[in-house]
Amino acid sequence: MQAAGTAARRQHSNELDEDRHSVILPVTEAESLAYTIRRRPCSRTQRMMTTPDAAVQARKKSEQEPVNVHYDIRLPDLPWSRRIQIPIIAAAVYSVIRMLGPTLRYEVLGWQHAERVYAAKKQCIWAFWHRVIIPIVWWYRNHGVVVMNTTAFDGQWTRKVIEWLGFGTAQGSSSRGGLRGLAVMARRLEEGLDCAFTIDGPRGPRYVAKPGPVMLARKTGCPIMVFHIGVERGKTFEKTWDHFLMPRPFSRTAILFAPPIYVPANATAEAMEAKHAEMQKELERVRDIAESWFSLSDEARTKHRAEFNRSNP
C-alpha cells in the first residue's frame, strides 16, 4: 500500500508540473490565443530559450488582415527619405504662416450667423475650399477646431502645422478612413468643439464638395457653415490641384460667412442630396463674391456688406 501511495503522489506531482507549464500571456484576443503554449516538462534553461513563435505569427497575421477602407487610418509605409521630410516641411510652412499671418488685415462679414449657432448651444461644422487654408488657419488659430486630416504624406506634415496652430485633427479622408474620422468628429462636437473640412480635399477635384459635412450634420444636429476668403494681393499657384492661394504680406482680406445649413436627423437619401447641393451652391456663391471683392466698386461692396451682415438671413 505504501508503494501504491508513492506512485499516486508521483503521478499527481507530474500532473501539477505539466499544468504549471501552461503559459498564457494576454495581449489582444488573437494574441492571447496564440500565446497559450503547452510545453512538456523541461529545464529552466530550456524554458528561457523557448520563443513564442505562435504569438509572432499571430501578430503578423493580424497586421496583414484587411481593414475596411472607410475605417483604415493606418499610416502608409513611407521610405525613410520621405519620413525625414515631414518635420522639415512642417517647420518651414509653420514659420511662413507665423511671419505672414500678423501682417494680414481681415474684414469679416456674416459672423453673426455663427454667434446665433453658439447661442443655441450648438457647434459649427465649417466647410471651405482647400485653396484658402493659409489665411483661415491664421485667423481662427487656437480655437481647438477639429479638422479632417488625411494620413498620406501631405497630411502628415499638415497635421503638425495645424496642431502647432492650435487646431485638433481627426484622421481620415473621403478616400480612406473617412467614417472613422466622422465618428471622431461627432464625439468632438458633443464635447463642445467645432469641426472643419477642406471640402474639396485632400486631392480634389477642385471646387467639388465631398459629402462629409452633410453626413455629420445629420448625425449631430449641428449646422454646416460655409465661407470663403478673398485676398487683395496674393499669389495663386495654378500648377497645384487646388490653385493654392498665398497672400502677400500686409494684404487686406475679406471673409464671407453664409447662413447655416441644417440637416434633419430623419433626412432621407433624397433630402441628403438636396442639402449637399445646397452646400455646393453656397460654397460657390461666397467664393465668387470673395474672389472678386477687391475688384468690385464701393457701391457693390456696400450692397454685399448689407446682405451678409443682416441679422436675419
Side-chain angles (χ1 to χ4, degrees):
M1 291 182 62
Q2 185 176 3
T6 301
R9 283 194 298 273
R10 287 177 178 173
Q11 182 178 0
H12 181 63
S13 177
N14 289 338
E15 291 174 354
L16 290 176
D17 287 341
E18 185 173 354
D19 286 340
R20 277 196 294 269
H21 287 85
S22 288
V23 182
I24 301 179
L25 303 176
V27 186
T28 63
E29 182 177 356
E31 291 177 348
S32 177
L33 294 174
Y35 271 118
T36 305
I37 304 170
R38 289 279 182 178
R39 300 197 186 99
R40 294 184 178 180
C42 57
S43 68
R44 181 180 179 185
T45 302
Q46 289 174 320
R47 291 198 301 270
M48 291 175 65
M49 293 177 64
T50 303
T51 57
D53 292 335
V56 174
Q57 295 299 324
R59 184 181 295 109
K60 289 181 178 180
K61 181 178 180 181
S62 65
E63 291 175 352
Q64 295 171 356
E65 287 178 354
V67 178
N68 187 304
V69 67
H70 299 298
Y71 292 90
D72 187 2
I73 57 172
R74 295 173 297 180
L75 295 179
D77 187 16
L78 299 173
W80 72 269
S81 58
R82 294 288 276 173
R83 293 198 302 271
I84 201 172
Q85 293 176 28
I86 292 171
I88 297 173
I89 296 174
V93 173
Y94 176 75
S95 299
V96 169
I97 295 173
R98 287 288 301 175
M99 289 187 293
L100 173 65
T103 72
L104 300 178
R105 292 166 290 168
Y106 293 88
E107 179 180 1
V108 181
L109 304 175
W111 182 249
Q112 75 279 359
H113 301 310
E115 291 177 340
R116 284 202 298 271
V117 173
Y118 297 139
K121 307 300 182 184
K122 290 185 178 294
Q123 302 304 126
C124 295
I125 301 171
W126 301 105
F128 61 100
W129 301 123
H130 199 278
R131 164 175 165 81
V132 296
I133 193 169
I134 291 292
I136 191 57
V137 296
W138 177 255
W139 184 77
Y140 214 54
R141 65 195 183 280
N142 296 328
H143 281 76
V145 178
V146 179
V147 181
M148 180 76 83
N149 185 73
T150 176
T151 56
F153 173 77
D154 289 345
Q156 291 187 48
W157 65 258
T158 302
R159 180 182 182 182
K160 290 182 178 293
V161 174
I162 61 179
E163 288 182 349
W164 291 341
L165 288 166
F167 292 82
T169 54
Q171 300 304 98
S173 69
S174 57
S175 58
R176 186 166 172 259
L179 293 182
R180 176 70 62 83
L182 288 176
V184 171
M185 285 181 149
R187 289 197 299 270
R188 298 297 176 264
L189 288 167
E190 291 176 357
E191 294 167 0
L193 295 173
D194 287 358
C195 291
F197 295 81
T198 51
I199 195 62
D200 52 347
R203 284 291 180 183
R206 181 174 66 253
Y207 300 150
V208 177
K210 304 296 196 306
V214 177
M215 298 167 63
L216 189 60
R218 182 193 183 201
K219 179 178 177 61
T220 63
C222 295
I224 303 166
M225 298 286 296
V226 310
F227 66 89
H228 195 76
I229 301 179
V231 174
E232 180 184 26
R233 293 180 296 109
K235 167 67 175 177
T236 294
F237 293 85
E238 297 184 355
K239 292 185 178 181
T240 60
W241 71 265
D242 60 347
H243 282 185
F244 182 78
L245 175 64
M246 176 64 73
R248 298 191 187 278
F250 304 99
S251 177
R252 291 187 297 163
T253 69
I255 311 179
L256 277 59
F257 292 94
I261 300 172
Y262 287 89
V263 182
N266 61 351
T268 62
E270 291 76 12
M272 296 276 283
E273 290 181 6
K275 289 295 181 180
H276 182 269
E278 180 182 353
M279 178 180 66
Q280 175 79 36
K281 182 178 179 180
E282 282 295 284
L283 283 161
E284 293 173 354
R285 183 177 74 91
V286 295
R287 179 201 65 202
D288 292 344
I289 298 174
E291 292 282 348
S292 63
W293 185 260
F294 293 100
S295 63
L296 296 175
S297 64
D298 289 341
E299 182 181 358
R301 283 200 293 265
T302 300
K303 180 179 178 182
H304 284 307
R305 286 189 183 102
E307 172 194 352
F308 279 90
N309 287 331
R310 280 202 304 262
S311 297
N312 295 310

